[in-house]
Amino acid sequence: MRFSRYFLPVLKENPSEAQIVSHRLMLRAGMIKQASAGIYSWLPLGFKVLRKIENIVHEEQQRAGHMPMLMPTIQSADLWRESGRYDAFGAEMLRIKDRHDRDMLFTPTAEELITDIFRTHVGSYKDLPLTVYQIQWKFRDEIRPRFGVMRGREFYMKDGYNFDLNKADALHAYNRHLVSYLRTYERMGLKAIPMRADSGAMGGDNTHEFLVLAETGESEVFYDNSVIALTFGDREIDYDNVEQCAGVLDEFTNLYARTDETHDEALFAAVPEERRRVARGIEVGQIFYFGTKYSEALNAVVQGPDGKLSPVHMGSHGIGVSRLLGAIIEANHDDKGIIWPEGVTPFHCGIINLKQGDEEADAACDAIYNSMTALGLEPLYDDRKERAGGKFATMDLIGIPWRITIGPRGLKNGIVELTSRRTGESEELSPESAVQKVISIYANM
Ligand code: 5CA
């Protein structure tokens, strides 16, 4: 992309309505614009990152064997009356009437609708296990929408639903989700810690939230500091392997890590004092096993191998896709702006022309731009006739992790400069080696 053609309305001033750094930076970097309280338009740069995050979620869900589908945002109230949640959801549910005066609503989650699909089409254990998911807009009329996309009213969420014959199978689905979520967040450059939590409006007593530590997080968390060192890495996982998934769950959840809703002072006191931590975290996902709560209410039954009918066991699993942008920025920024992890960056590399209009510099920039593009990378070439300082500041603000700087002086010696946004370190390289280095950085993404 050439900067001169891109729609990137960066703000010079700090917007006064933003209380936390991620909200401020998303507004300044021209990623989002508030449409009304807790509802945002996604401008091209923000939309690009949203898509990157969404793609990682899709890839990891499908790697775990879960099937993508899509359900409507506007639903009839009838199913929600059947489950009892039409009243239980209270003022958070946005209620709408259609022209026939029928009660409709904007989906805050989709347990009811998916259970209805299931009961219509599945009747036998032979069709199990089954796990489907969607990435779809949700609406919750939060009493205090704030912090930009972090606590929106309209937000983008991955919601997945598993259907299993019995509790043991459903717990395997739970474990499988925990494992796939660990991979998902790591690919985004995030440390998200699974913590025992409360199940709230979803129900059930088996639930973990995934928390990214940040001072601006809305949840208070208590944990054994040894959880920080646990990483999933590039280990091979067979998602059908019950013992393997259960082993990973044990490894990642047997140290003390809880949100304030389930915190237990006595258990916490058993953690060696030097490892006890009290901090704040951003909830970027949650997994639930709630057994037959919805299948009983909606009469979703399956026939077992013994011919008997029983309500199907279920769980649901959510990732806050739009919230993740805020969480990633909270965890990756400095006083100059955002620092995107390579896995989610909107552009792979910035190209800065120090002397736009200089024949040699323009040609060198074009050559780098074209070879990167041909190799499948997306560079952002700042081809504006602007001061170099302004170009650097903008590239730093919008957080592109690598930058190649090209000017007539370096070109005389056959070199350009490759700079890491995160460390600030620069290397002088030939244009070809600079491109090769950037290619190799992204080779495994
Ligand atoms: N049905 C279940 C699992 S799909 C469910 O809705 N779970 S949830 O309520 O925990 O939401 C899933 C994730 O959506 C949360 O972990 C959080 O990351 C995100 N989320 C929830 N509310 C908001 C909101 N108001 N703004 C942005 N993200 C939100």
Side-chain angles (χ1 to χ4, degrees):
M1 179 56 65
R2 285 170 191 272
F3 203 115
S4 59
R5 299 193 194 150
Y6 201 48
F7 178 49
L8 186 63
V10 298
L11 305 180
K12 293 245 153 42
E13 306 293 323
N14 269 329
S16 58
E17 73 266 31
Q19 299 163 28
I20 61 169
V21 67
S22 57
H23 188 194
R24 194 157 60 233
L25 288 172
M26 286 182 78
L27 292 170
R28 283 200 52 206
M31 297 175 68
I32 52 170
K33 181 181 184 305
Q34 184 173 303
S36 58
I39 303 179
Y40 292 87
S41 298
W42 294 79
L43 307 185
L45 190 73
F47 184 58
K48 224 162 182 313
V49 181
L50 189 70
R51 279 281 180 261
K52 288 264 175 130
I53 292 174
E54 178 180 1
N55 285 342
I56 292 177
V57 174
H58 272 302
E59 284 177 18
E60 293 305 327
Q61 283 303 302
Q62 287 169 53
R63 195 196 299 277
H66 308 158
M67 269 164 287
M69 61 178 286
L70 192 62
M71 290 179 273
T73 53
I74 306 292
Q75 302 181 1
S76 154
D78 297 346
L79 285 173
W80 292 76
R81 290 204 172 96
E82 263 187 77
S83 75
R85 284 208 296 184
Y86 191 61
D87 293 330
F89 238 96
E92 269 195 16
M93 181 180 275
L94 181 66
R95 294 152 207 263
I96 306 162
K97 276 200 194 289
D98 71 8
R99 62 164 70 194
H100 306 292
D101 213 29
R102 278 192 285 254
D103 290 324
M104 311 292 285
L105 56 93
F106 196 112
T107 181
T109 172
E111 280 81 3
E112 283 76 358
L113 199 60
I114 194 69
T115 307
D116 179 55
I117 292 170
F118 181 90
R119 73 181 172 183
T120 306
H121 295 292
V122 183
S124 162
Y125 73 95
K126 290 180 192 145
D127 297 322
L128 303 181
L130 179 63
T131 300
V132 291
Y133 76 94
Q134 65 171 349
I135 302 181
Q136 175 63 295
W137 293 97
K138 303 291 185 303
F139 196 97
R140 293 183 192 169
D141 204 351
E142 302 275 354
I143 190 158
R144 211 178 307 121
R146 56 179 185 161
F147 301 162
V149 299
M150 204 78 98
R151 179 162 296 280
R153 292 200 296 164
E154 187 185 59
F155 59 98
Y156 205 38
M157 182 171 103
K158 172 258 163 178
D159 45 324
Y161 305 89
N162 69 285
F163 298 90
D164 288 278
L165 183 61
N166 53 41
K167 182 169 180 180
D169 289 356
L171 286 178
H172 171 57
Y174 185 89
N175 300 350
R176 201 174 61 227
H177 278 87
L178 187 127
V179 176
S180 77
Y181 278 25
L182 291 170
R183 275 191 73 116
T184 303
Y185 297 119
E186 272 190 24
R187 276 189 63 187
M188 297 174 190
L190 271 185
K191 173 99 219 149
I193 306 166
M195 298 197 181
R196 190 172 290 282
D198 182 68
S199 65
M202 302 307 147
D205 47 24
N206 220 339
T207 182
H208 281 89
E209 285 180 2
F210 287 77
L211 276 298
V212 172
L213 298 177
E215 280 167 28
T216 47
E218 292 190 290
S219 318
E220 187 172 36
V221 296
F222 302 81
Y223 62 95
D224 178 334
N225 195 42
S226 303
V227 296
I228 303 293
L230 295 172
T231 54
F232 192 79
D234 53 7
R235 59 179 100 183
E236 287 288 323
I237 281 283
D238 170 3
Y239 282 104
D240 291 330
N241 185 322
V242 172
E243 287 77 31
Q244 199 182 20
C245 291
V248 174
L249 178 120
D250 281 347
E251 181 186 342
F252 281 82
T253 60
N254 70 11
L255 292 165
Y256 192 93
R258 294 182 178 221
T259 69
D260 57 353
E261 299 152 347
T262 57
H263 178 54
D264 181 323
E265 269 303 332
L267 282 179
F268 193 46
V271 177
E273 194 179 351
E274 69 281 5
R275 286 177 12 205
R276 264 180 249 153
R277 296 287 184 283
V278 182
R280 302 199 71 79
I282 301 166
E283 180 204 324
V284 292
Q286 186 162 10
I287 55 176
F288 305 85
Y289 163 69
F290 39 66
T292 56
K293 172 179 158 143
Y294 297 92
S295 52
E296 281 185 45
L298 297 172
N299 196 29
V301 294
V302 279
Q303 191 168 42
D306 55 2
K308 288 203 184 112
L309 291 176
S310 58
V312 70
H313 283 254
M314 291 176 62
S316 72
H317 321 275
I319 292 181
V321 175
S322 50
R323 174 179 287 184
L324 272 164
L325 276 94
I328 291 170
I329 296 173
E330 289 294 324
N332 297 280
H333 69 268
D334 62 14
D335 50 12
K336 293 189 213 144
I338 303 166
I339 308 172
W340 292 115
E342 274 88 357
V344 299
T345 184
F347 292 100
H348 298 105
C349 184
I351 300 174
I352 288 188
N353 189 342
L354 291 176
K355 198 161 185 204
Q356 203 70 41
D358 175 276
E359 219 171 287
E360 238 184 296
D362 290 2
C365 288
D366 282 342
I368 290 179
Y369 182 85
N370 291 335
S371 62
M372 277 195 183
T373 308
L375 290 162
L377 291 189
E378 283 189 284
L380 178 63
Y381 171 21
D382 194 341
D383 59 347
R384 297 170 304 162
K385 284 208 154 114
E386 285 250 336
R387 289 183 306 112
K391 291 188 176 185
F392 289 135
T394 303
M395 210 56 95
D396 284 348
L397 171 67
I398 67 174
I400 311 308
W402 296 91
R403 184 185 84 205
I404 297 181
T405 308
I406 296 140
R409 213 176 306 156
L411 285 176
K412 283 214 171 63
N413 302 315
I415 54 159
V416 298
E417 195 180 58
L418 176 66
T419 307
S420 155
R421 171 72 182 86
R422 195 171 286 278
T423 66
E425 280 165 24
S426 291
E427 246 185 298
E428 295 191 333
L429 297 165
S430 70
E432 297 74 26
S433 331
V435 171
Q436 271 318 311
K437 175 128 192 215
V438 175
I439 299 284
S440 68
I441 288 164
Y442 289 100
N444 300 320
M445 299 265 147

